[in-house]
Amino acid sequence: MAYQTYPNQAPVESDHRTSRLFPGFGLRGPRRERHVLSPEDLGALAFPVGDDGVVIGVDPQQQPAVLGLFRPTSYELALVGGLWTAQLIALRAAATGARIAVETGRPQAWAPMAQAAGGGQPCVTIHQAGRLGAQGASVASPVLVVRDLGARPPRSRLSASPWQTTLTLLPYLGPNAARVLNAADLVGIQRVSPQEAELLARLLSLGDQEVAALPTLGDNITLWATRMRRQFVMTNPGEAEGQVLGGPRRMD
């Protein structure tokens, strides 16, 4: 995304150097040279992340990896991985101004993160399984729904909504995994067993190199995949995030 800056509007001086006021503009501001870029220079102003969203780490080229969480349509994510990664994504989404609604069977695991998020503002709410109501998501108040309900999550009772994204956390591949993964627009995969990697390869059309890498991934590495694209991302916490969540963990 590129942009061009424009000079401050200023009234024109008379031949006698007498300042004039233009209605609606007030006093004349400081005079500066015009800031004009040639077409060749515009590329230098491009943001390296390439999209709006939440920075979830860096790619193999050490460039920021951005997850575009919120859209004018409902959006489904699945993460075959650890609680730590799901909480880090939720914490960073809250930092962008989104509301987080967590449906979980282990509220004690989410309580410290919920208390720390939002600088004391109640932007993270925790709900028992099956007790999550309509969230009223909007473009001005997007919502991330995190479903942390084990390897066999029941179907959600929450209706799909614009500007509402659902992240379903699967600690490993259970009997319902195929249903969850097939319904997801984007799937994150952390370290899994060789058998799980083979199943994921069939479900997501992964390549041989990706299948071989999955059982050996570090705790902070995630493969994000759609049917068309794949991207390994390394996620490290900032200082404040580390104080809340600790270091990266694949299992809790």
Side-chain angles (χ1 to χ4, degrees), residues 3-251:
Y3 64 90
Q4 182 177 2
T5 57
Y6 296 90
N8 293 330
Q9 298 291 337
V12 178
E13 292 183 348
S14 69
D15 292 338
H16 299 288
R17 304 290 180 179
T18 301
S19 298
R20 295 188 298 166
L21 298 181
F22 279 16
F25 287 87
L27 295 172
R28 189 173 73 180
R31 287 169 289 179
R32 299 185 177 91
E33 297 295 329
R34 294 179 64 88
H35 302 292
V36 179
L37 295 177
S38 67
E40 293 76 16
D41 294 331
L42 291 176
L45 296 178
F47 288 105
V49 295
D51 197 4
D52 299 340
V54 176
V55 178
I56 57 170
V58 294
D59 64 18
Q61 289 72 45
Q62 297 300 304
Q63 295 299 309
V66 177
L67 186 59
L69 281 178
F70 304 110
R71 309 187 176 200
T73 58
S74 61
Y75 195 52
E76 296 283 338
L77 278 71
L79 174 63
V80 184
L83 178 67
W84 184 88
T85 301
Q87 290 187 333
L88 187 71
I89 293 172
L91 197 60
R92 292 185 177 181
T96 68
R99 291 182 288 124
I100 316 298
V102 182
E103 184 181 10
T104 181
R106 46 178 176 175
Q108 71 284 353
W110 285 89
M113 176 269 189
Q115 293 171 359
Q121 299 297 319
C123 62
V124 179
T125 57
I126 302 175
H127 308 263
Q128 295 180 356
R131 299 291 183 87
L132 183 61
Q135 296 299 303
S138 68
V139 63
S141 183
V143 175
L144 175 64
V145 175
V146 182
R147 306 193 75 222
D148 173 29
L149 300 170
R152 304 180 65 176
R155 294 183 184 274
S156 176
R157 298 180 180 180
L158 196 63
S159 299
S161 171
W163 304 108
Q164 178 176 287
T165 295
T166 299
L167 171 60
T168 301
L169 176 63
L170 301 174
Y172 57 89
L173 298 182
N176 296 348
R179 170 177 62 80
V180 174
L181 297 180
N182 285 331
D185 299 294
L186 178 67
V187 176
I189 309 166
Q190 296 192 275
R191 186 173 61 249
V192 293
S193 69
Q195 294 77 18
E196 289 175 307
E198 293 292 340
L199 176 57
L200 289 165
R202 294 193 294 272
L203 291 173
L204 302 174
S205 302
L206 301 181
D208 292 340
Q209 291 184 337
E210 294 155 347
V211 173
L214 288 177
T216 66
L217 296 181
D219 288 350
N220 63 338
I221 305 294
T222 305
L223 172 64
W224 292 97
T226 66
R227 294 294 188 277
M228 301 298 295
R229 298 184 62 186
R230 319 277 184 267
Q231 180 67 72
F232 285 100
V233 174
M234 179 173 64
T235 303
N236 289 314
E239 182 178 353
E241 294 167 336
Q243 292 175 355
V244 176
L245 303 178
R249 301 181 302 279
R250 169 60 180 91
M251 299 298 295

